[in-house]
Amino acid sequence: MNKYVVEGGKKLQGDVVISGSKNAALPILAATLLTEDEVILKNVPVLKDVETMISLLAKLGKRIQIEENKMIVRHDPKASLSSRHEATYDIVKQMRASIVVLGPLVAKYHKATVSLPGGCAFGPRPVDLHIRGLEQLGAKIAVHHGDIEAKTSGFKGKTIDLIGQFGSSVLATDNVAMAACLAKGETTIENAAREPETVDLVNFLIAMGAKIEGAGSSILKIRGVKKLHGCEYTIIQDRIEAGTFLVAAAVTGGKVRMKYATPEHLRFVFDLAREIGIGIEERGEWITIKGKKPSSYKGFSITTMPYPQFPTDLQSLFMVLGMLSSGISKISEGIYPNRWNHAPELVRMGADIRVENEMAIMTGVKSLEGASVQASDLRAGAALVVAALAAGGKTEVRRIYHVDRGYEALPEKLRALGANIQVARDSLL
Ligand code: EPU
């Protein structure tokens, strides 16, 4: 197992190119199951979760070829029929997002077995909305021995409300939308996710011949077609990676130019960052982040909510900002009430954070100091790395396999901005 060793205190300076979006790439890769034609994808990020999805697709009868700037997904006629519709526990346990193959598999083969994902580091994360939505389209679903077993004699379009306890669900919307593409008649999804990643999936499905209206709104209308065809498609850039570099530049008082063409996907975050006192200049596809001394930033108060509001995936990063800004900052979790595992690790670095139920309260401190800390999930790990860049002295971040799941070449990109971050063997674990 590896760890990051970070010597903090250096202002980040220079240019960084934001990679393709992990959370758009995963459902889009799953959607290739809906056709037997060749699909060419560009801007797929090179990271562990994408590798896991590729392994899953290979088991489900796809052949994937990676060329310099594109990924070619083909149907493998030699793959065994029985394995084509089974997503087994060995893969699903590595990545919850594997659930997103359920809709395409049942739509294409009229049956599928997908292992039921367990809880995750920040809570139970149920899949009831995925199941409910597919049942309403006409699937019979049962859970046996930890597997979701689904079958249908053919999906029929319907009006389906996908509202959950915490609002809309990104992957449940994706699953049901993909299934509805091959259903008979029209499906209306109410309370659909509005996230840019779901919009990207819908645009990809449209490029494959699906008939869908309403992407980006909370109502999706999908007219079923008999067949989808191959296409070539470029995946959007990763707004969460862009937000991560924004905070890294801000807390180190640096100046970083990001090549990031879709600032509208981060509008809420950019507006908030400007209010806090971070300089942001948007010029074409380049965005310059101008940091200052973090103690000059104003404290803030936010709640994580579905898009277009503040994303839960940047909560841990903004916690680092709040730890160093002046006065008190408050973050409430409106999506995952228990997503706070990074807080005690950040406290080890000198932060003043109090977590009370779904709210974290940060009192700004003048500085952080290096410590030995460990990542508990992807975004928790990213926050520890960013805190380490701002801290005085050496920080060792352990369990960085969580970070590798969702960031492409993070240490390399940070080093190109002047950070002192090394990857070393971790003999402790
Ligand atoms: N929920 C239910 N029932 C369901 C599905 C979801 O109650 O059947 C709840 C969840 O427990 C949560 C809320 O609904 O409280 C929203 O979760 P959502 O379903 O939208 O999450 P997801 O689709 O499983 C995606 C991202 C997550 C991101 C969330 C929220 C992917 C692969 N994952 O997950 O990304 O946090 O949306 O925006 O797209 C990450 O990248 O670090 C990450 C965790």
Side-chain angles (χ1 to χ4, degrees):
M1 224 179 265
N2 288 340
K3 63 183 175 185
Y4 289 145
V5 181
V6 184
E7 281 290 343
K10 297 211 162 45
K11 291 182 178 189
L12 297 192
Q13 307 267 1
D15 292 353
V16 63
V17 177
I18 300 303
S19 297
S21 160
K22 163 182 87 83
N23 288 349
L26 296 175
I28 286 176
L29 280 164
T32 64
L33 292 164
L34 290 164
T35 181
E36 286 176 15
D37 292 352
E38 176 179 292
V39 172
I40 298 177
L41 295 174
K42 291 190 172 162
N43 208 28
V44 181
V46 180
L47 41 82
K48 188 72 182 75
D49 274 6
V50 165
E51 271 173 37
T52 306
M53 183 55 88
I54 290 173
S55 312
L56 177 55
L57 291 182
K59 285 200 169 179
L60 296 172
K62 291 286 184 188
R63 269 187 294 149
I64 289 115
Q65 186 184 331
I66 299 170
E67 290 184 0
E68 206 179 318
N69 62 351
K70 61 184 182 190
M71 186 176 281
I72 307 165
V73 185
R74 296 192 181 94
H75 178 75
D76 181 357
K78 290 201 209 100
S80 95
L81 261 183
S82 61
S83 67
R84 273 193 203 286
H85 39 77
E86 271 182 43
T88 45
Y89 184 60
D90 53 330
I91 299 234
V92 177
K93 77 174 178 0
Q94 292 176 45
M95 185 179 72
R96 290 184 48 83
S98 310
I99 184 74
V100 86
V101 300
L102 182 63
L105 287 179
V106 191
K108 184 89 178 77
Y109 299 109
H110 289 187
K111 63 175 181 178
T113 303
V114 175
S115 210
L116 186 67
C120 78
F122 47 87
R125 297 186 73 186
V127 292
D128 55 310
L129 295 171
H130 302 243
I131 292 179
R132 200 199 321 146
L134 294 174
E135 279 177 341
Q136 288 188 40
L137 282 180
K140 294 258 175 294
I141 299 185
V143 177
H144 287 304
H145 308 293
D147 289 336
I148 303 170
E149 292 174 1
K151 58 182 178 192
T152 181
S153 52
F155 282 143
K156 284 201 188 73
K158 227 180 158 189
T159 295
I160 298 168
D161 188 345
L162 281 184
I163 192 75
Q165 193 192 346
F166 298 96
S168 56
S169 159
V170 177
L171 293 181
T173 302
D174 295 354
N175 240 333
V176 177
M178 287 188 277
C181 286
L182 295 181
K184 242 193 198 148
E186 185 167 290
T187 299
T188 302
I189 303 180
E190 294 177 347
N191 287 300
R194 300 170 59 194
E195 270 67 6
E197 295 77 16
T198 293
V199 174
D200 208 34
L201 170 69
V202 168
N203 288 335
F204 172 70
L205 293 168
I206 291 172
M208 288 208 298
K211 305 279 179 235
I212 309 179
E213 281 169 24
S217 79
S218 54
I219 297 189
L220 283 180
K221 283 199 183 296
I222 304 161
R223 200 148 33 85
V225 294
K226 286 222 159 61
K227 228 176 148 193
L228 294 177
H229 53 70
C231 69
E232 185 170 323
Y233 191 80
T234 303
I235 287 168
I236 54 167
Q237 286 177 284
D238 197 313
R239 64 191 167 110
I240 306 302
E241 189 197 12
T244 302
F245 278 98
L246 181 157
V247 177
V251 295
T252 60
K255 184 174 172 191
V256 170
R257 228 165 53 114
M258 304 192 288
K259 191 170 187 195
Y260 177 62
T262 47
E264 62 277 13
H265 293 166
L266 279 174
R267 193 50 60 212
F268 192 102
V269 173
F270 280 6
D271 287 351
L272 172 73
R274 285 187 172 111
E275 257 173 52
I276 292 170
I278 301 164
I280 303 181
E281 247 175 51
E282 299 176 39
R283 287 232 174 99
E285 55 179 17
W286 284 95
I287 294 170
T288 306
I289 310 298
K290 292 180 184 167
K292 293 192 288 213
K293 209 173 155 45
S295 57
S296 70
Y297 299 141
K298 278 192 287 189
F300 56 90
S301 189
I302 46 171
T303 302
T304 68
M305 299 278 267
Y307 189 81
Q309 304 209 48
F310 190 86
T312 172
D313 292 342
L314 285 176
Q315 177 256 103
S316 60
L317 279 309
F318 270 66
M319 178 175 275
V320 180
L321 198 50
M323 280 155 37
L324 289 164
S325 299
S326 69
I328 306 243
S329 295
K330 292 181 182 170
I331 307 184
S332 300
E333 245 306 332
I335 310 271
Y336 299 116
N338 301 316
R339 197 177 196 176
W340 302 120
N341 288 340
H342 39 285
E345 298 298 300
L346 291 166
V347 167
R348 291 175 53 74
M349 300 178 72
D352 181 343
I353 308 168
R354 215 170 67 238
V355 175
E356 286 174 4
N357 302 319
E358 75 289 353
M359 186 190 279
I361 302 158
M362 286 82 66
T363 305
V365 293
K366 287 241 150 21
S367 60
L368 298 173
E369 50 186 28
S372 204
V373 290
Q374 69 181 28
S376 53
D377 68 77
L378 166 58
R379 308 301 171 189
L384 294 174
V385 171
V386 169
L389 296 171
K394 183 165 97 175
T395 297
E396 295 194 333
V397 183
R398 305 204 135 81
R399 304 202 174 175
I400 56 166
Y401 56 87
H402 289 294
V403 182
D404 296 340
R405 286 185 55 178
Y407 287 88
E408 179 172 87
L410 185 64
E412 290 80 1
K413 287 186 181 187
L414 287 171
R415 273 201 293 274
L417 297 174
N420 184 344
I421 174 167
Q422 308 302 330
V423 181
R425 284 291 303 159
D426 189 357
S427 50
L428 266 192
L429 294 168

